[in-house]
Amino acid sequence: MLHVVPPGSNPPRQAPERVAFDRAELSAILTVYGRFVAAGEWRDYGIDMLREVAVFSIFRRSAEQPIYRVEKRPKLSQKQGQYSVIGMDGRILKRGQDLRQVLRVFDAKLIRVVEG
């Protein structure tokens, strides 16, 4: 059945849209995540999809605060870049337009884990 909105009335409110990671973005993030899980460094993750940001939180243990957050903020795509990696202390470790390039911030950390 077609719902017709009478002139002068407000259309029904829709749920606010949420920012989400697409399949390719999640694949890139989970590839990095899997390497650190295999190295014994990371143990859990969480995904939040909010109105302005999607967040992939990485935990050393599930009961802790996240040690890293990978964020996608489409509103920043024309400025600093929509992707960023944020440390536990809130510092932005890397930001940019290309998610794979931003995730390379973890490469040096993985090398230290394997060597150590």
Side-chain angles (χ1 to χ4, degrees):
M1 180 177 177
L2 180 63
H3 178 58
V4 179
V5 178
S9 68
N10 292 331
R13 294 192 94 175
Q14 296 180 3
E17 289 188 36
R18 297 182 185 271
V19 176
F21 293 107
D22 65 28
R23 185 179 303 258
E25 292 165 336
L26 271 178
S27 177
I29 295 168
L30 289 171
T31 297
V32 172
Y33 176 79
R35 292 187 347 223
F36 278 88
V37 169
E41 286 296 301
W42 298 347
R43 303 225 177 358
D44 201 4
Y45 71 89
I47 300 175
D48 295 303
M49 294 176 285
L50 307 172
R51 286 189 60 201
E52 295 186 9
V53 62
V55 182
F56 186 97
S57 300
I58 300 165
F59 299 88
R60 187 164 281 136
R61 289 176 205 80
S62 56
E64 294 181 346
Q65 283 190 306
I67 54 175
Y68 298 105
R69 293 186 329 261
V70 179
E71 293 188 354
K72 175 182 177 181
R73 292 182 182 269
K75 286 188 177 181
L76 296 178
S77 65
Q78 300 300 316
K79 296 178 183 162
Q80 306 102 316
Q82 68 177 337
Y83 302 108
S84 57
V85 173
I86 301 168
M88 182 189 282
D89 59 359
R91 285 184 307 143
I92 296 173
L93 305 176
K94 184 102 172 156
R95 174 183 278 156
Q97 296 288 3
D98 182 351
L99 178 59
R100 292 185 192 279
Q101 192 69 26
V102 171
L103 292 174
R104 287 193 177 161
V105 72
F106 293 119
D107 288 350
K109 294 177 187 333
L110 187 60
I111 291 169
R112 279 191 295 231
V113 168
V114 173
E115 288 177 352

